[in-house]
Amino acid sequence: MSDELAERLRQVREASGRSLRELERAIHVSSSSLSRYLSGKSVPPWPVVVGLCQVAGLDPRPLRPLWERAKRAPAKPREPAPPPAVPAVPAGRNDLPYDVSDFTGRADELAALLEAARTHRMVAIDGMAGVGKTALAVRAAHRLAADYPDGQHYVDLHGFTPGREPVEPTEALRVLLSALGVAPARIPETMPERAALWRAELARRRAVIVLDNAVDADQVRPLLPGAGTSIAVVTSRRRMVELDTVRPITLDVLPAAEAAELFVTASGGARSPGDSEAAAEVLRLCGYLPLAIQVAAARLRHRPAWTVAALAERLRSGDLDVSNVLAMSLRQLDAAQRRMFRLLGLVPGEGVDALAAAALADIPLGNARSLLEDLVDAHLLQESAAGRYRMHDLLRQVAVAEASPDRTPAIARLLDYYLSGLLAADATMSHEAAGAPITVAHPPAALPAFGGHDGALAWLDAEVPDIAMAFDLAVELGLDTATAGLAQVMGVYFSRRGGMERWGHVLDAAISAAQRLGDRRATAWLTYRRGIARQFSGRAVEASADYRAARRLMAEAGDDVGEVMALQRLAERQMDDGSFADAIDLLRQAAELLPAGTFTQSHVVTHARIGHALAELGRFAAAREAATEAVRIARDVGDLHLETMGLRVLGAAALGEGDAAGAMELFHTALASTRATGHRIAEALSLTDVAEAARAQGRIVEALDHHAQALRIIDETGERLRAAPILIPYGETCLAAGDRGEAARHLRQAFDLTAALGLGHLQARARRVLNAMGLDG
């Protein structure tokens, strides 16, 4: 690098009066990079030079010839480049179940496990059912948490869960990657790709992972850490002899002394000095298995009139295996408790809250809460987290055996609870499901109190994994009405959190359900929504076909609202291809179908998209008129998200007419709205708008910062297919900053994306800029 340029940059820094840390915050360039630039070890990008001068209040133009000579000069020998920066690891997340309060004994096994963690990265605990493998694994994981601060993660692999297939490694990897904070749509589809991403994410973390209830080594192998310092603790009823790098720990039943200690602790203390002989009999009948001992002790604790001898007599009346010990405990429940226990055994997913349990049992919420607590006290249910409940595998086996063979009515009530919760979240956040034909046959007595937009989104984050499993059960049981309804409303989650490809698969199953029902209107709406999922999954041709089919079905069903929405999406596809006049024609057809005298979200979308098309055609006055109407209606109906559509068009019209300051004000208002609604994709688009307005005002460093924020959001959501309209302006701003390398990189990425997605208009824009740079596009 030119020593003269480095010297001039040091003078600029001195004129600014700022430290490296202060400059880092001011121009968003790391202090280590600034140090290299100021010492002459590397040439800064031109935007960095501009930023330094702006902070110092100096004109950067005199430095341009020095910078260009430095860029052309041959590179000096230098020290090896430092390794690429590793993205910051998110704060450690703890997904472990609660550590049991009456954990007893196992001192040698626990010590061995903790010692193994120092020399091995995989420990496998094996033993028979009910022997306490999970309790030991969870106790050890809690003890190890301080040494593995980047996360403590737990997944039940259901290797021996009655009535359930073992969790496929592909699905287990999805759960684990989500626990690390990987956005749903960033998670690959295939198991090898997911395993590779899992190992890569763990390589930069110190985390402990509990893989509970594994069926065999094949199920576990893809889930184990690769390079790095994380540790996996596996539990299984089988020995993992195929995994030669794993340190095995085999659990036997409890020694008599430890079993006696557990029984005394769990039952609330010895009843009398003469109880020891009867207690020994109880322990023998329980097989010295911790789970059986805890269940038997809980019965004794809640029956003050019983003696230990009476408990032993009841145990002798059965066949004395674990299932009969558990079944004996059921006989101590009253009718309501026993019914709740049976119903909970039918629940798909990892657990329920009290609201879901109330719907499942068709009882008031207060009663459900009391029954759940009764079952927790009896060790027949676990409170895996505050307010959430799950059932141990052995207990689920007993519950399934006790349950009625016809599980359909109870599952139908649970599905209607989930459907009602999704509808309530949609009504709180967006009204995307408004007008759709959705039937709730069994409205639940109580729904979650979201307390606003953020609360609804948090509920979706917590519940959608279990709702997805409930959806699969609805398909299996042929509950077609629930299947069709759930698929409609699950889009409120996927549109915000990513995962359009997954939503498309859900909608495929739902369309088949609606067709079996002979419900043409539901079929039309589901086809329309599948078009959205396909459009944003890169399947533009199939999306257009779905929109056309949905429009025809909507018209046949006399559903004007649905036909308008299909026309709006078809117009959007026309705009993607650059056919703005055709798009306006379709939108005006939609406007003719809109109801007169009242205003809806469809009015907003129609006017906003007409304004967008007019702005692209350079008809800015007409665009402003349409967008002003869109904003007015959006404010009347109270839809903040849709209001941003109109604001963005107004800003684009102002920018087109040369009013960059006015455009900036409008774009900032839209940005604030997107952040208030939590719509991450819309936030990224608004940030791009702000960046373009800043570029038009000559504020290049500010523009680059907004572009970078927008692209980070796209990466965080995993919706990389949505990046094209963000990458092209980013490339144009890099070009304006004099950084041709970055400009070409962003523009070529955008060109490839637009080609894959069939976005002809944006592809042409990327090609024009690349060609102007003398590059092929």
Side-chain angles (χ1 to χ4, degrees):
M1 172 183 174
S2 165
D3 292 337
E4 186 179 357
L5 176 61
E7 175 60 28
R8 293 288 296 277
L9 290 178
R10 288 194 291 272
Q11 293 172 5
V12 170
R13 181 217 166 166
E14 290 172 5
S16 74
R18 307 280 188 96
S19 68
L20 286 181
R21 289 295 182 188
E22 289 170 331
L23 288 172
E24 177 182 53
R25 290 192 293 271
I27 64 174
H28 306 289
V29 176
S30 70
S31 57
S32 59
S33 296
L34 287 170
S35 180
R36 290 197 306 275
Y37 303 149
L38 295 171
S39 64
K41 292 180 180 178
S42 60
V43 179
W46 178 244
V48 172
V49 177
V50 174
L52 286 169
C53 290
Q54 287 182 338
V55 170
L58 300 174
D59 185 352
R61 286 175 292 184
L63 294 181
R64 183 74 188 201
L66 289 176
W67 180 82
E68 290 177 348
R69 286 199 298 273
K71 290 288 284 186
R72 290 194 299 269
K76 293 181 179 179
R78 58 181 182 177
E79 298 175 2
V86 176
V89 174
R93 168 173 158 176
N94 191 329
D95 298 323
L96 298 175
Y98 289 160
D99 194 4
V100 293
S101 59
D102 55 3
F103 185 90
T104 303
R106 302 295 192 201
D108 291 342
E109 292 90 342
L110 180 59
L113 199 161
L114 296 175
E115 178 61 28
R118 299 180 181 180
T119 56
H120 292 70
R121 288 185 293 109
M122 293 161 261
V123 180
I125 306 170
D126 60 80
M128 66 181 296
V131 79
K133 301 182 292 296
T134 299
L136 176 62
V138 171
R139 167 59 62 100
H142 279 289
R143 293 283 185 89
L144 291 168
D147 294 328
Y148 294 86
D150 296 328
Q152 300 83 44
H153 305 292
Y154 173 91
V155 61
D156 188 343
L157 298 174
H158 293 293
F160 299 92
T161 301
R164 281 194 61 169
E165 291 296 315
V167 175
E168 291 292 334
T170 304
E171 174 60 14
L173 286 165
R174 183 192 67 77
V175 172
L176 288 166
L177 285 166
S178 297
L180 292 185
V182 178
R186 274 193 60 220
I187 298 174
E189 288 297 318
T190 67
M191 190 271 285
E193 290 175 317
R194 289 186 179 184
L197 179 59
W198 167 242
R199 290 191 296 270
E201 289 288 335
L202 281 185
R204 58 193 181 91
R205 291 172 163 87
R206 283 184 61 82
V208 58
I209 303 99
V210 177
L211 304 172
D212 195 21
N213 196 6
V215 66
D216 57 24
D218 288 339
Q219 185 188 29
V220 167
R221 192 174 286 108
L223 315 180
L224 297 175
T229 55
S230 294
I231 183 172
V233 181
V234 182
T235 76
S236 179
R237 298 182 194 178
R238 297 178 180 174
R239 292 182 178 178
M240 298 288 172
V241 293
E242 299 93 336
L243 301 177
D244 53 10
T245 60
V246 172
R247 165 71 161 88
I249 294 178
T250 298
L251 289 191
D252 199 351
V253 296
L254 284 171
E258 293 182 2
E261 181 183 354
L262 175 60
F263 179 69
V264 170
T265 301
S267 61
R271 294 296 171 99
S272 69
D275 282 344
S276 58
E277 201 170 306
E281 177 73 355
V282 167
L283 298 178
R284 186 184 67 79
L285 294 172
C286 288
Y288 298 96
L289 286 172
L291 178 62
I293 292 170
Q294 287 173 315
V295 172
R299 294 298 91 214
L300 185 64
R301 185 175 72 247
H302 291 284
R303 300 295 186 275
W306 283 16
T307 64
V308 180
L311 174 63
E313 179 61 32
R314 284 168 170 79
L315 292 176
R316 279 193 294 269
S317 65
D319 292 335
L320 310 183
D321 62 17
V322 172
S323 294
N324 283 326
V325 169
L326 298 174
M328 180 281 302
S329 72
L330 296 187
R331 291 195 288 272
Q332 311 307 315
L333 301 178
D334 64 31
Q337 293 167 340
R338 189 162 184 166
R339 177 174 177 265
M340 177 63 83
F341 177 77
R342 290 167 172 167
L343 290 172
L344 291 173
L346 306 176
V347 173
E350 294 302 315
V352 295
D353 60 10
L355 288 161
L360 182 75
D362 197 20
I363 58 176
L365 178 60
N367 292 12
R369 286 194 173 117
S370 296
L371 291 173
L372 291 169
E373 292 302 322
D374 290 343
L375 294 174
V376 169
D377 289 344
H379 287 281
L380 294 171
L381 201 62
Q382 298 170 335
E383 190 172 7
S384 55
R388 291 197 66 83
Y389 304 88
R390 68 185 297 272
M391 190 173 282
H392 190 282
D393 289 354
L394 293 178
L395 294 165
R396 188 183 296 273
Q397 183 175 358
V398 174
V400 170
E402 291 272 329
S404 165
D406 184 9
R407 56 181 173 166
T408 301
I411 295 300
R413 291 193 297 268
L414 178 65
L415 293 169
D416 278 334
Y417 163 71
Y418 285 140
L419 180 53
S420 299
L422 286 167
L423 286 169
D426 175 73
T428 301
M429 297 170 63
S430 65
H431 303 283
E432 289 180 20
I438 297 172
T439 301
V440 180
H442 307 88
L447 286 170
F450 300 133
H453 180 281
D454 291 347
L457 195 55
W459 183 85
L460 288 170
D461 287 334
E463 297 293 342
V464 164
D466 286 338
I467 293 174
M469 294 192 70
F471 177 85
D472 292 340
L473 184 56
V475 174
E476 177 188 331
L477 295 176
L479 294 169
D480 290 337
T481 301
T483 297
L486 284 168
Q488 290 266 21
V489 201
M490 286 169 77
V492 69
Y493 178 80
F494 292 119
S495 66
R496 282 163 174 75
R497 293 306 200 206
M500 285 295 185
E501 189 72 36
R502 186 179 177 200
W503 189 30
H505 296 316
V506 167
L507 288 160
D508 285 338
I511 288 171
S512 297
Q515 290 170 340
R516 285 192 296 270
L517 291 169
D519 190 333
R520 294 177 64 82
R521 188 161 172 257
T523 302
W525 277 80
L526 289 162
T527 303
Y528 163 76
R529 296 202 187 283
R530 187 175 65 182
I532 298 173
R534 286 176 165 175
Q535 179 179 348
F536 293 110
S537 299
R539 299 160 66 180
V541 174
E542 293 169 276
S544 294
D546 274 342
Y547 293 146
R548 287 192 293 271
R551 180 193 178 185
R552 174 178 53 79
L553 291 168
M554 299 285 193
E556 290 172 359
D559 190 330
D560 289 347
V561 171
E563 187 177 356
V564 165
M565 295 173 74
L567 282 165
Q568 290 168 345
R569 289 291 179 178
L570 283 168
E572 187 175 320
R573 287 290 304 120
Q574 291 290 337
M575 287 191 279
D576 287 343
D577 293 335
S579 301
F580 296 106
D582 292 338
I584 291 170
D585 181 59
L586 288 169
L587 290 165
R588 285 177 174 157
Q589 291 179 50
E592 291 174 2
L593 293 169
L594 291 170
T598 59
F599 295 107
T600 65
Q601 283 84 1
S602 287
H603 287 79
V604 181
V605 174
T606 301
H607 285 292
R609 287 188 176 150
I610 288 174
H612 178 195
L614 289 167
E616 290 287 349
L617 291 171
R619 297 166 58 184
F620 300 120
R624 188 164 51 251
E625 182 180 349
T628 299
E629 183 68 0
V631 171
R632 183 189 67 77
I633 298 171
R635 288 172 177 168
D636 284 346
V637 299
D639 195 314
L640 195 59
H641 171 60
L642 290 182
E643 183 182 331
T644 65
M645 293 180 66
L647 289 170
R648 292 187 65 219
V649 175
L650 287 172
L655 199 58
E657 293 176 325
D659 182 9
M664 178 68 83
E665 184 177 352
L666 289 160
F667 290 151
H668 269 300
T669 303
L671 177 60
S673 296
T674 62
R675 285 172 170 165
T677 60
H679 201 302
R680 299 286 277 157
I681 303 298
E683 182 182 354
L685 292 170
S686 289
L687 280 164
T688 300
D689 292 335
V690 171
E692 291 198 81
R695 184 177 76 222
Q697 294 177 301
R699 293 148 58 181
I700 302 299
V701 173
E702 179 184 335
L704 289 170
D705 179 54
H706 288 303
H707 283 306
Q709 290 182 53
L711 201 55
R712 277 198 300 272
I713 289 172
I714 292 297
D715 289 338
E716 288 166 6
T717 62
E719 290 287 328
R720 190 66 183 176
L721 294 175
R722 310 286 288 276
I726 289 161
L727 285 166
I728 295 172
Y730 199 171
E732 292 169 338
T733 302
C734 289
L735 188 59
D739 192 341
R740 288 174 57 87
E742 280 296 284
R745 185 171 71 88
H746 291 319
L747 289 163
R748 283 190 170 122
Q749 287 180 17
F751 185 84
D752 292 341
L753 273 175
T754 54
L757 296 173
L759 303 176
H761 174 60
L762 289 176
Q763 185 181 15
R765 178 177 170 183
R767 180 188 290 113
R768 284 194 301 272
V769 184
L770 286 168
N771 289 344
M773 295 171 66
L775 302 173
D776 292 334

